[in-house]
Amino acid sequence: MRSGSLPAPTAPSTPAVAERRKSVHGVSLVVRGEGIPVFLMHGIGGAASSCGALAQLLSAHGYQTFCWDAPGYGESAAPTDGLDHPSLVLDILATLGLGPAHLFGTSWGGVIATTVAARAPEAVRSIVLADSTRGSGTTHDTAQRMLARVPELAAVGPESIAARRASKLVSPSAPPGWPKLSGRTWPPSACPGSRRRPP
């Protein structure tokens, strides 16, 4: 579709699959269905619910889906210093005994999925990257710019950064409330110096 508007939502044609929460290594997972595993990872500013609609569709078609709240997001524990996200994903997959899994990553989740697949191809059936890049730290300069955001985040807080970035994270043709919604759903930061705020 090339028009400037989004399609109208339609009623789901498949029945809803029940979901349950499970915590593995301090990471909260929303699990749905039974079958071949699909591990879904959200981007920065997302949560397990960001992948919920896709997980519901996949689980209704015979897959078992695992949507994570990345460390420091949603219901997951705060990250430890020096956390290696791809290693954590591999640990979760091994602990759950899933065998090879399909990996789905949106934005930052895709960066993690790519690294998981490169490190342990035997643990991955396939990867799907949605709006992902190789990562921001591909050169010394871009890595330094990313690191510079940590003190800024600690100083101004995640809400301020989300308010500035929200409109850049959605299409110019998105309904007017979407940038504001994106800003409201930005999670507590996983960076040092940040604080979780009560809901």
Side-chain angles (χ1 to χ4, degrees):
M1 173 180 359
R2 306 273 307 157
S3 74
S5 65
L6 298 171
T10 58
S13 59
T14 56
V17 176
E19 64 182 52
R20 59 199 180 279
R21 282 266 177 187
K22 179 180 199 110
S23 182
V24 179
H25 302 302
V27 173
S28 181
L29 303 170
V30 176
V31 183
R32 294 176 181 87
E34 299 296 330
I36 296 171
V38 181
F39 196 87
L40 298 100
M41 294 166 280
H42 59 82
I44 293 174
S49 60
S50 303
C51 302
L54 176 58
Q56 189 64 238
L57 180 66
L58 291 170
S59 60
H61 285 87
Y63 292 91
Q64 185 173 33
T65 61
F66 300 83
C67 298
W68 84 338
D69 279 331
Y73 288 74
E75 296 184 26
S76 289
T80 58
D81 288 339
L83 173 66
D84 182 76
H85 289 81
S87 292
L88 178 60
V89 170
L90 288 167
D91 289 346
I92 292 169
L93 295 175
T95 299
L96 293 172
L98 296 180
H102 296 287
L103 302 181
F104 175 89
T106 303
S107 190
W108 170 59
V111 173
I112 297 168
T114 302
T115 305
V116 169
R119 285 186 190 170
E122 70 283 355
V124 178
R125 289 178 184 265
S126 69
I127 61 172
V128 175
L129 306 176
D131 196 27
S132 294
T133 68
R134 295 180 303 162
S136 299
T138 55
T139 69
H140 177 74
D141 289 343
T142 57
Q144 291 305 308
R145 281 197 302 270
M146 287 299 292
L147 289 173
R149 291 182 181 173
V150 174
E152 177 190 12
L153 184 59
V156 302
E159 291 84 2
S160 175
I161 290 179
R164 286 197 320 250
R165 292 197 36 89
S167 64
K168 297 175 185 172
L169 300 175
V170 296
S171 166
S173 63
W178 281 24
K180 188 171 194 133
L181 173 64
S182 177
R184 276 199 326 264
T185 59
W186 192 278
S189 167
C191 295
S194 66
R195 302 171 295 288
R196 282 186 173 269
R197 296 196 172 110

